[in-house]
Amino acid sequence: MKITGVELRTIRMPLKSPFETSFGVEEERVAVLIRVVATVPEGGTAEVSRHDHHSAETQGWGACVAMELPLYSSEYADGAAEVLRRFLVPKLLAETTAGRDVTAELVDPLLEPIIGHRMAKAALEMAVLDAQLQGSGQSLAGYFGATRTTVPSGVSVGIQPSVHALLDVVGDYLAEGHVRIKLKIKPGWDIAPVEAVRDRFGDQLLLQVDANAAYTLADARVLRKLDAFDLLLIEQPLPEDDIRQHAELARLITTPICLDESVVSVRAAADAIALRACQVINIKAGRVGGYLNARRIHDLCQANGIPVWCGGMVETGLGRAANAALAALPGFTLPGDISASDRFYDQDITEPFVLDDGQIEVPTGPGIGVRPIQDVLDRFTISTEWIQAT
Ligand code: NPQ
Ligand code: MG
């Protein structure tokens, strides 16, 4: 593939209702989107437009999961756009200028000299991967070797003003068909809400909690009280760089520990497993530098008997589509945070993902299998720029 140019676009979308976590209250989703335009040698089968006798144009979409503010991770939307425009996109375009082909598999090694910025790198790799698969006509799920055609939908439930309000919200999500409930917790909003949800909805409910790094090891006595409620797992109780302390905590509580923020790479996943810092891993492609690394962590966990599930970052339909393909791999044995589009958005930028008997369909079209709806996309766009190969 030869890259013609890359569009960076920032969008701002209203959430249906505020989403409160231990790190703050979100009312909008700001996101950087990437459109890669490239040419592929003739012979591709997808909807590509013929340029001349030798090559066809293809486009790929990527979405960066970094939030507006660096509250979940050090990356944030404007910072991701900056590192993309100044360092990452130019590296990609330089390959074309030098007459070299780019493939999705080459993106991570190509960007390796730039340290960190995994969410920005992941978005660029996603766009190249989508363009490549658009060119060859293969679906992302097919490329991964996915084994399911639908994935079960779990829902992440924000911190509520009261336990009463929480029970109403959880009841509504269950009525919609979500098969697993994740409660956001923080010090002071932990034991009581979990106990109330378990009491109201019963032993059979698949229930887990996510602390987003809000506790310390000194809170082990409080966290131990959660052991009484038969939770599937507790996600990221301690700070991102506290892998060893998660291993300590795992010796003090019986609820399985799942790491999210701490697993920033394949190496971090291998370390966490070896140190027995977690019994479960949440895989988010953005957090680990891309879908190909996400796939590698899936393989590593499968080889080590560690169950994984696909995390969520309040994605639009673009990221949701790619997550569904990833979550269709056989090692994803727990329901992920892939809900219907209307969990967060009244209007998604793609055709909406809907729940069917608690399941989300894995797209079967080429690449990520969905495209933005142009006028909707334009309505939410706050800036665009085009970076042309020279
Ligand atoms: C998590 N997500 O698992 C995250 C964190 C998170 C679905 O619980 C705007 C954009 C708000 C991204 C809130 C879920 C967000 C966000 C929370 C990501 O830890
Ligand atoms: Mg989490």
Side-chain angles (χ1 to χ4, degrees), residues 321-356:
N323 284 350
L326 179 69
L329 282 164
F332 285 80
T333 54
L334 291 166
D337 282 345
I338 306 173
S339 3
S341 293
D342 72 359
R343 157 68 185 89
F344 288 113
Y345 302 112
D346 282 319
Q347 172 74 63
D348 205 337
I349 59 170
T350 62
E351 289 301 319
F353 282 83
V354 295
L355 280 195
D356 180 5

PDB file of all heavy atoms in Angstrom, residues 321-356:
ATOM      1  N   ALA A 321     -17.001  -1.284  16.374  1.00  0.00           N
ATOM      2  CA  ALA A 321     -16.948  -2.317  15.336  1.00  0.00           C
ATOM      3  C   ALA A 321     -15.657  -3.134  15.466  1.00  0.00           C
ATOM      4  O   ALA A 321     -15.677  -4.368  15.428  1.00  0.00           O
ATOM      5  CB  ALA A 321     -17.015  -1.664  13.949  1.00  0.00           C
ATOM      6  N   ALA A 322     -14.543  -2.439  15.637  1.00  0.00           N
ATOM      7  CA  ALA A 322     -13.259  -3.141  15.750  1.00  0.00           C
ATOM      8  C   ALA A 322     -13.201  -3.952  17.038  1.00  0.00           C
ATOM      9  O   ALA A 322     -12.672  -5.070  17.062  1.00  0.00           O
ATOM     10  CB  ALA A 322     -12.114  -2.130  15.684  1.00  0.00           C
ATOM     11  N   ASN A 323     -13.749  -3.399  18.127  1.00  0.00           N
ATOM     12  CA  ASN A 323     -13.773  -4.139  19.394  1.00  0.00           C
ATOM     13  C   ASN A 323     -14.596  -5.419  19.274  1.00  0.00           C
ATOM     14  O   ASN A 323     -14.227  -6.458  19.844  1.00  0.00           O
ATOM     15  CB  ASN A 323     -14.350  -3.266  20.508  1.00  0.00           C
ATOM     16  CG  ASN A 323     -13.359  -2.233  21.002  1.00  0.00           C
ATOM     17  OD1 ASN A 323     -12.184  -2.275  20.655  1.00  0.00           O
ATOM     18  ND2 ASN A 323     -13.845  -1.291  21.794  1.00  0.00           N
ATOM     19  N   ALA A 324     -15.709  -5.350  18.557  1.00  0.00           N
ATOM     20  CA  ALA A 324     -16.552  -6.542  18.401  1.00  0.00           C
ATOM     21  C   ALA A 324     -15.779  -7.639  17.669  1.00  0.00           C
ATOM     22  O   ALA A 324     -15.855  -8.822  18.028  1.00  0.00           O
ATOM     23  CB  ALA A 324     -17.840  -6.193  17.654  1.00  0.00           C
ATOM     24  N   ALA A 325     -14.995  -7.241  16.651  1.00  0.00           N
ATOM     25  CA  ALA A 325     -14.193  -8.231  15.911  1.00  0.00           C
ATOM     26  C   ALA A 325     -13.144  -8.863  16.825  1.00  0.00           C
ATOM     27  O   ALA A 325     -12.954 -10.083  16.826  1.00  0.00           O
ATOM     28  CB  ALA A 325     -13.529  -7.562  14.708  1.00  0.00           C
ATOM     29  N   LEU A 326     -12.481  -8.028  17.629  1.00  0.00           N
ATOM     30  CA  LEU A 326     -11.465  -8.538  18.561  1.00  0.00           C
ATOM     31  C   LEU A 326     -12.095  -9.493  19.570  1.00  0.00           C
ATOM     32  O   LEU A 326     -11.569 -10.588  19.844  1.00  0.00           O
ATOM     33  CB  LEU A 326     -10.805  -7.351  19.281  1.00  0.00           C
ATOM     34  CG  LEU A 326      -9.736  -7.697  20.318  1.00  0.00           C
ATOM     35  CD1 LEU A 326      -8.489  -8.259  19.636  1.00  0.00           C
ATOM     36  CD2 LEU A 326      -9.370  -6.458  21.141  1.00  0.00           C
ATOM     37  N   ALA A 327     -13.235  -9.069  20.133  1.00  0.00           N
ATOM     38  CA  ALA A 327     -13.891  -9.847  21.196  1.00  0.00           C
ATOM     39  C   ALA A 327     -14.459 -11.164  20.682  1.00  0.00           C
ATOM     40  O   ALA A 327     -14.884 -12.009  21.469  1.00  0.00           O
ATOM     41  CB  ALA A 327     -14.995  -9.017  21.841  1.00  0.00           C
ATOM     42  N   ALA A 328     -14.466 -11.343  19.345  1.00  0.00           N
ATOM     43  CA  ALA A 328     -14.958 -12.592  18.769  1.00  0.00           C
ATOM     44  C   ALA A 328     -13.882 -13.676  18.732  1.00  0.00           C
ATOM     45  O   ALA A 328     -14.142 -14.798  18.292  1.00  0.00           O
ATOM     46  CB  ALA A 328     -15.507 -12.332  17.370  1.00  0.00           C
ATOM     47  N   LEU A 329     -12.667 -13.348  19.224  1.00  0.00           N
ATOM     48  CA  LEU A 329     -11.608 -14.358  19.338  1.00  0.00           C
ATOM     49  C   LEU A 329     -11.932 -15.309  20.492  1.00  0.00           C
ATOM     50  O   LEU A 329     -12.563 -14.918  21.477  1.00  0.00           O
ATOM     51  CB  LEU A 329     -10.253 -13.676  19.577  1.00  0.00           C
ATOM     52  CG  LEU A 329      -9.598 -13.063  18.333  1.00  0.00           C
ATOM     53  CD1 LEU A 329      -8.481 -12.093  18.724  1.00  0.00           C
ATOM     54  CD2 LEU A 329      -9.053 -14.160  17.428  1.00  0.00           C
ATOM     55  N   PRO A 330     -11.439 -16.555  20.410  1.00  0.00           N
ATOM     56  CA  PRO A 330     -11.873 -17.579  21.374  1.00  0.00           C
ATOM     57  C   PRO A 330     -11.435 -17.360  22.819  1.00  0.00           C
ATOM     58  O   PRO A 330     -12.086 -17.857  23.736  1.00  0.00           O
ATOM     59  CB  PRO A 330     -11.265 -18.871  20.823  1.00  0.00           C
ATOM     60  CG  PRO A 330     -10.196 -18.446  19.886  1.00  0.00           C
ATOM     61  CD  PRO A 330     -10.613 -17.131  19.338  1.00  0.00           C
ATOM     62  N   GLY A 331     -10.345 -16.599  23.044  1.00  0.00           N
ATOM     63  CA  GLY A 331      -9.886 -16.384  24.423  1.00  0.00           C
ATOM     64  C   GLY A 331     -10.724 -15.391  25.207  1.00  0.00           C
ATOM     65  O   GLY A 331     -10.568 -15.267  26.423  1.00  0.00           O
ATOM     66  N   PHE A 332     -11.593 -14.657  24.511  1.00  0.00           N
ATOM     67  CA  PHE A 332     -12.474 -13.685  25.183  1.00  0.00           C
ATOM     68  C   PHE A 332     -13.646 -14.458  25.794  1.00  0.00           C
ATOM     69  O   PHE A 332     -14.710 -14.563  25.197  1.00  0.00           O
ATOM     70  CB  PHE A 332     -12.936 -12.601  24.211  1.00  0.00           C
ATOM     71  CG  PHE A 332     -11.869 -11.593  23.884  1.00  0.00           C
ATOM     72  CD1 PHE A 332     -10.872 -11.878  22.949  1.00  0.00           C
ATOM     73  CD2 PHE A 332     -11.823 -10.361  24.535  1.00  0.00           C
ATOM     74  CE1 PHE A 332      -9.859 -10.961  22.669  1.00  0.00           C
ATOM     75  CE2 PHE A 332     -10.820  -9.438  24.253  1.00  0.00           C
ATOM     76  CZ  PHE A 332      -9.830  -9.745  23.320  1.00  0.00           C
ATOM     77  N   THR A 333     -13.412 -15.003  26.996  1.00  0.00           N
ATOM     78  CA  THR A 333     -14.402 -15.894  27.608  1.00  0.00           C
ATOM     79  C   THR A 333     -15.312 -15.171  28.587  1.00  0.00           C
ATOM     80  O   THR A 333     -16.221 -15.786  29.133  1.00  0.00           O
ATOM     81  CB  THR A 333     -13.693 -17.067  28.318  1.00  0.00           C
ATOM     82  OG1 THR A 333     -12.736 -16.534  29.238  1.00  0.00           O
ATOM     83  CG2 THR A 333     -12.967 -17.958  27.307  1.00  0.00           C
ATOM     84  N   LEU A 334     -15.070 -13.885  28.827  1.00  0.00           N
ATOM     85  CA  LEU A 334     -15.962 -13.097  29.686  1.00  0.00           C
ATOM     86  C   LEU A 334     -16.613 -11.998  28.838  1.00  0.00           C
ATOM     87  O   LEU A 334     -15.980 -11.477  27.911  1.00  0.00           O
ATOM     88  CB  LEU A 334     -15.164 -12.449  30.825  1.00  0.00           C
ATOM     89  CG  LEU A 334     -14.607 -13.410  31.891  1.00  0.00           C
ATOM     90  CD1 LEU A 334     -13.558 -12.713  32.747  1.00  0.00           C
ATOM     91  CD2 LEU A 334     -15.738 -13.951  32.762  1.00  0.00           C
ATOM     92  N   PRO A 335     -17.876 -11.631  29.149  1.00  0.00           N
ATOM     93  CA  PRO A 335     -18.504 -10.536  28.395  1.00  0.00           C
ATOM     94  C   PRO A 335     -17.725  -9.237  28.574  1.00  0.00           C
ATOM     95  O   PRO A 335     -17.213  -8.945  29.658  1.00  0.00           O
ATOM     96  CB  PRO A 335     -19.893 -10.417  29.034  1.00  0.00           C
ATOM     97  CG  PRO A 335     -20.125 -11.708  29.754  1.00  0.00           C
ATOM     98  CD  PRO A 335     -18.769 -12.190  30.182  1.00  0.00           C
ATOM     99  N   GLY A 336     -17.614  -8.456  27.500  1.00  0.00           N
ATOM    100  CA  GLY A 336     -16.851  -7.215  27.540  1.00  0.00           C
ATOM    101  C   GLY A 336     -17.728  -5.995  27.718  1.00  0.00           C
ATOM    102  O   GLY A 336     -18.948  -6.098  27.853  1.00  0.00           O
ATOM    103  N   ASP A 337     -17.067  -4.817  27.706  1.00  0.00           N
ATOM    104  CA  ASP A 337     -17.792  -3.544  27.771  1.00  0.00           C
ATOM    105  C   ASP A 337     -18.163  -3.084  26.370  1.00  0.00           C
ATOM    106  O   ASP A 337     -17.867  -1.962  25.962  1.00  0.00           O
ATOM    107  CB  ASP A 337     -16.914  -2.473  28.440  1.00  0.00           C
ATOM    108  CG  ASP A 337     -16.879  -2.615  29.957  1.00  0.00           C
ATOM    109  OD1 ASP A 337     -17.728  -3.326  30.515  1.00  0.00           O
ATOM    110  OD2 ASP A 337     -15.986  -2.001  30.587  1.00  0.00           O
ATOM    111  N   ILE A 338     -18.783  -3.962  25.612  1.00  0.00           N
ATOM    112  CA  ILE A 338     -19.241  -3.589  24.266  1.00  0.00           C
ATOM    113  C   ILE A 338     -20.751  -3.552  24.330  1.00  0.00           C
ATOM    114  O   ILE A 338     -21.397  -4.585  24.264  1.00  0.00           O
ATOM    115  CB  ILE A 338     -18.799  -4.622  23.208  1.00  0.00           C
ATOM    116  CG1 ILE A 338     -17.291  -4.838  23.267  1.00  0.00           C
ATOM    117  CG2 ILE A 338     -19.245  -4.180  21.825  1.00  0.00           C
ATOM    118  CD1 ILE A 338     -16.804  -5.958  22.363  1.00  0.00           C
ATOM    119  N   SER A 339     -21.306  -2.372  24.523  1.00  0.00           N
ATOM    120  CA  SER A 339     -22.766  -2.311  24.585  1.00  0.00           C
ATOM    121  C   SER A 339     -23.305  -1.757  23.272  1.00  0.00           C
ATOM    122  O   SER A 339     -22.552  -1.465  22.354  1.00  0.00           O
ATOM    123  CB  SER A 339     -23.232  -1.464  25.780  1.00  0.00           C
ATOM    124  OG  SER A 339     -22.159  -0.903  26.462  1.00  0.00           O
ATOM    125  N   ALA A 340     -24.611  -1.603  23.208  1.00  0.00           N
ATOM    126  CA  ALA A 340     -25.229  -0.994  22.031  1.00  0.00           C
ATOM    127  C   ALA A 340     -24.799   0.469  21.949  1.00  0.00           C
ATOM    128  O   ALA A 340     -24.432   1.081  22.954  1.00  0.00           O
ATOM    129  CB  ALA A 340     -26.747  -1.104  22.132  1.00  0.00           C
ATOM    130  N   SER A 341     -24.857   1.037  20.734  1.00  0.00           N
ATOM    131  CA  SER A 341     -24.512   2.459  20.559  1.00  0.00           C
ATOM    132  C   SER A 341     -25.311   3.340  21.506  1.00  0.00           C
ATOM    133  O   SER A 341     -24.802   4.347  22.021  1.00  0.00           O
ATOM    134  CB  SER A 341     -24.800   2.901  19.119  1.00  0.00           C
ATOM    135  OG  SER A 341     -23.928   2.267  18.215  1.00  0.00           O
ATOM    136  N   ASP A 342     -26.584   2.960  21.762  1.00  0.00           N
ATOM    137  CA  ASP A 342     -27.434   3.845  22.558  1.00  0.00           C
ATOM    138  C   ASP A 342     -27.162   3.763  24.062  1.00  0.00           C
ATOM    139  O   ASP A 342     -27.841   4.424  24.844  1.00  0.00           O
ATOM    140  CB  ASP A 342     -28.924   3.636  22.228  1.00  0.00           C
ATOM    141  CG  ASP A 342     -29.466   2.328  22.765  1.00  0.00           C
ATOM    142  OD1 ASP A 342     -28.715   1.542  23.391  1.00  0.00           O
ATOM    143  OD2 ASP A 342     -30.672   2.072  22.551  1.00  0.00           O
ATOM    144  N   ARG A 343     -26.150   2.967  24.470  1.00  0.00           N
ATOM    145  CA  ARG A 343     -25.714   3.049  25.874  1.00  0.00           C
ATOM    146  C   ARG A 343     -25.176   4.457  26.150  1.00  0.00           C
ATOM    147  O   ARG A 343     -25.403   5.018  27.218  1.00  0.00           O
ATOM    148  CB  ARG A 343     -24.645   1.979  26.151  1.00  0.00           C
ATOM    149  CG  ARG A 343     -23.705   2.261  27.338  1.00  0.00           C
ATOM    150  CD  ARG A 343     -24.442   2.201  28.682  1.00  0.00           C
ATOM    151  NE  ARG A 343     -23.603   2.572  29.820  1.00  0.00           N
ATOM    152  CZ  ARG A 343     -23.424   3.793  30.298  1.00  0.00           C
ATOM    153  NH1 ARG A 343     -24.008   4.827  29.696  1.00  0.00           N
ATOM    154  NH2 ARG A 343     -22.667   4.013  31.351  1.00  0.00           N
ATOM    155  N   PHE A 344     -24.435   5.012  25.183  1.00  0.00           N
ATOM    156  CA  PHE A 344     -23.818   6.322  25.406  1.00  0.00           C
ATOM    157  C   PHE A 344     -24.364   7.423  24.495  1.00  0.00           C
ATOM    158  O   PHE A 344     -24.314   8.598  24.850  1.00  0.00           O
ATOM    159  CB  PHE A 344     -22.296   6.241  25.200  1.00  0.00           C
ATOM    160  CG  PHE A 344     -21.576   5.504  26.307  1.00  0.00           C
ATOM    161  CD1 PHE A 344     -20.960   4.285  26.075  1.00  0.00           C
ATOM    162  CD2 PHE A 344     -21.533   6.032  27.599  1.00  0.00           C
ATOM    163  CE1 PHE A 344     -20.301   3.599  27.105  1.00  0.00           C
ATOM    164  CE2 PHE A 344     -20.870   5.363  28.631  1.00  0.00           C
ATOM    165  CZ  PHE A 344     -20.256   4.143  28.384  1.00  0.00           C
ATOM    166  N   TYR A 345     -24.839   7.042  23.300  1.00  0.00           N
ATOM    167  CA  TYR A 345     -25.155   8.060  22.283  1.00  0.00           C
ATOM    168  C   TYR A 345     -26.584   7.955  21.758  1.00  0.00           C
ATOM    169  O   TYR A 345     -27.048   6.870  21.426  1.00  0.00           O
ATOM    170  CB  TYR A 345     -24.192   7.905  21.083  1.00  0.00           C
ATOM    171  CG  TYR A 345     -22.739   8.023  21.471  1.00  0.00           C
ATOM    172  CD1 TYR A 345     -21.891   6.913  21.405  1.00  0.00           C
ATOM    173  CD2 TYR A 345     -22.215   9.230  21.917  1.00  0.00           C
ATOM    174  CE1 TYR A 345     -20.540   7.011  21.765  1.00  0.00           C
ATOM    175  CE2 TYR A 345     -20.873   9.336  22.277  1.00  0.00           C
ATOM    176  CZ  TYR A 345     -20.045   8.230  22.195  1.00  0.00           C
ATOM    177  OH  TYR A 345     -18.723   8.325  22.553  1.00  0.00           O
ATOM    178  N   ASP A 346     -27.248   9.109  21.656  1.00  0.00           N
ATOM    179  CA  ASP A 346     -28.530   9.146  20.949  1.00  0.00           C
ATOM    180  C   ASP A 346     -28.277   8.983  19.463  1.00  0.00           C
ATOM    181  O   ASP A 346     -29.085   8.393  18.745  1.00  0.00           O
ATOM    182  CB  ASP A 346     -29.230  10.492  21.190  1.00  0.00           C
ATOM    183  CG  ASP A 346     -29.880  10.538  22.561  1.00  0.00           C
ATOM    184  OD1 ASP A 346     -30.466   9.522  22.962  1.00  0.00           O
ATOM    185  OD2 ASP A 346     -29.766  11.584  23.229  1.00  0.00           O
ATOM    186  N   GLN A 347     -27.179   9.539  18.982  1.00  0.00           N
ATOM    187  CA  GLN A 347     -26.842   9.477  17.556  1.00  0.00           C
ATOM    188  C   GLN A 347     -25.386   9.064  17.423  1.00  0.00           C
ATOM    189  O   GLN A 347     -24.491   9.799  17.843  1.00  0.00           O
ATOM    190  CB  GLN A 347     -27.058  10.864  16.929  1.00  0.00           C
ATOM    191  CG  GLN A 347     -26.575  10.986  15.503  1.00  0.00           C
ATOM    192  CD  GLN A 347     -27.489  10.276  14.512  1.00  0.00           C
ATOM    193  OE1 GLN A 347     -28.644  10.641  14.362  1.00  0.00           O
ATOM    194  NE2 GLN A 347     -26.953   9.259  13.833  1.00  0.00           N
ATOM    195  N   ASP A 348     -25.146   7.881  16.874  1.00  0.00           N
ATOM    196  CA  ASP A 348     -23.769   7.435  16.630  1.00  0.00           C
ATOM    197  C   ASP A 348     -23.332   7.964  15.263  1.00  0.00           C
ATOM    198  O   ASP A 348     -24.153   8.386  14.448  1.00  0.00           O
ATOM    199  CB  ASP A 348     -23.684   5.900  16.675  1.00  0.00           C
ATOM    200  CG  ASP A 348     -22.289   5.396  17.048  1.00  0.00           C
ATOM    201  OD1 ASP A 348     -21.307   6.154  16.854  1.00  0.00           O
ATOM    202  OD2 ASP A 348     -22.170   4.259  17.517  1.00  0.00           O
ATOM    203  N   ILE A 349     -22.027   7.945  14.998  1.00  0.00           N
ATOM    204  CA  ILE A 349     -21.539   8.438  13.698  1.00  0.00           C
ATOM    205  C   ILE A 349     -21.575   7.362  12.622  1.00  0.00           C
ATOM    206  O   ILE A 349     -21.336   7.651  11.448  1.00  0.00           O
ATOM    207  CB  ILE A 349     -20.113   9.032  13.803  1.00  0.00           C
ATOM    208  CG1 ILE A 349     -19.112   7.996  14.321  1.00  0.00           C
ATOM    209  CG2 ILE A 349     -20.130  10.287  14.669  1.00  0.00           C
ATOM    210  CD1 ILE A 349     -17.661   8.457  14.218  1.00  0.00           C
ATOM    211  N   THR A 350     -21.845   6.105  13.012  1.00  0.00           N
ATOM    212  CA  THR A 350     -22.059   5.013  12.045  1.00  0.00           C
ATOM    213  C   THR A 350     -23.499   4.536  12.230  1.00  0.00           C
ATOM    214  O   THR A 350     -24.199   4.998  13.116  1.00  0.00           O
ATOM    215  CB  THR A 350     -21.131   3.820  12.334  1.00  0.00           C
ATOM    216  OG1 THR A 350     -21.451   3.305  13.646  1.00  0.00           O
ATOM    217  CG2 THR A 350     -19.670   4.233  12.296  1.00  0.00           C
ATOM    218  N   GLU A 351     -23.916   3.585  11.397  1.00  0.00           N
ATOM    219  CA  GLU A 351     -25.166   2.897  11.692  1.00  0.00           C
ATOM    220  C   GLU A 351     -25.035   2.343  13.109  1.00  0.00           C
ATOM    221  O   GLU A 351     -23.974   1.822  13.462  1.00  0.00           O
ATOM    222  CB  GLU A 351     -25.405   1.748  10.691  1.00  0.00           C
ATOM    223  CG  GLU A 351     -25.750   2.223   9.277  1.00  0.00           C
ATOM    224  CD  GLU A 351     -27.009   3.095   9.249  1.00  0.00           C
ATOM    225  OE1 GLU A 351     -27.978   2.766   9.968  1.00  0.00           O
ATOM    226  OE2 GLU A 351     -27.007   4.111   8.530  1.00  0.00           O
ATOM    227  N   PRO A 352     -26.060   2.465  13.925  1.00  0.00           N
ATOM    228  CA  PRO A 352     -25.909   2.081  15.332  1.00  0.00           C
ATOM    229  C   PRO A 352     -25.777   0.573  15.530  1.00  0.00           C
ATOM    230  O   PRO A 352     -26.345  -0.216  14.787  1.00  0.00           O
ATOM    231  CB  PRO A 352     -27.206   2.587  15.969  1.00  0.00           C
ATOM    232  CG  PRO A 352     -28.181   2.668  14.851  1.00  0.00           C
ATOM    233  CD  PRO A 352     -27.388   3.003  13.623  1.00  0.00           C
ATOM    234  N   PHE A 353     -24.983   0.211  16.552  1.00  0.00           N
ATOM    235  CA  PHE A 353     -24.962  -1.178  17.013  1.00  0.00           C
ATOM    236  C   PHE A 353     -26.136  -1.364  17.971  1.00  0.00           C
ATOM    237  O   PHE A 353     -26.351  -0.528  18.845  1.00  0.00           O
ATOM    238  CB  PHE A 353     -23.640  -1.486  17.718  1.00  0.00           C
ATOM    239  CG  PHE A 353     -22.511  -1.710  16.750  1.00  0.00           C
ATOM    240  CD1 PHE A 353     -21.815  -0.632  16.206  1.00  0.00           C
ATOM    241  CD2 PHE A 353     -22.163  -2.990  16.365  1.00  0.00           C
ATOM    242  CE1 PHE A 353     -20.790  -0.832  15.290  1.00  0.00           C
ATOM    243  CE2 PHE A 353     -21.137  -3.207  15.451  1.00  0.00           C
ATOM    244  CZ  PHE A 353     -20.448  -2.125  14.921  1.00  0.00           C
ATOM    245  N   VAL A 354     -26.869  -2.441  17.775  1.00  0.00           N
ATOM    246  CA  VAL A 354     -28.044  -2.692  18.613  1.00  0.00           C
ATOM    247  C   VAL A 354     -27.895  -4.038  19.321  1.00  0.00           C
ATOM    248  O   VAL A 354     -27.114  -4.896  18.893  1.00  0.00           O
ATOM    249  CB  VAL A 354     -29.344  -2.693  17.768  1.00  0.00           C
ATOM    250  CG1 VAL A 354     -29.587  -1.306  17.175  1.00  0.00           C
ATOM    251  CG2 VAL A 354     -29.283  -3.747  16.670  1.00  0.00           C
ATOM    252  N   LEU A 355     -28.656  -4.192  20.394  1.00  0.00           N
ATOM    253  CA  LEU A 355     -28.657  -5.462  21.129  1.00  0.00           C
ATOM    254  C   LEU A 355     -29.699  -6.386  20.521  1.00  0.00           C
ATOM    255  O   LEU A 355     -30.821  -5.980  20.244  1.00  0.00           O
ATOM    256  CB  LEU A 355     -29.042  -5.221  22.592  1.00  0.00           C
ATOM    257  CG  LEU A 355     -27.978  -4.719  23.537  1.00  0.00           C
ATOM    258  CD1 LEU A 355     -28.452  -4.893  24.974  1.00  0.00           C
ATOM    259  CD2 LEU A 355     -26.682  -5.458  23.319  1.00  0.00           C
ATOM    260  N   ASP A 356     -29.310  -7.652  20.324  1.00  0.00           N
ATOM    261  CA  ASP A 356     -30.265  -8.678  19.917  1.00  0.00           C
ATOM    262  C   ASP A 356     -30.081  -9.828  20.897  1.00  0.00           C
ATOM    263  O   ASP A 356     -29.053 -10.506  20.861  1.00  0.00           O
ATOM    264  CB  ASP A 356     -29.975  -9.099  18.468  1.00  0.00           C
ATOM    265  CG  ASP A 356     -30.948 -10.173  17.981  1.00  0.00           C
ATOM    266  OD1 ASP A 356     -31.893 -10.524  18.724  1.00  0.00           O
ATOM    267  OD2 ASP A 356     -30.762 -10.670  16.853  1.00  0.00           O
TER     268      ASP A 356
END
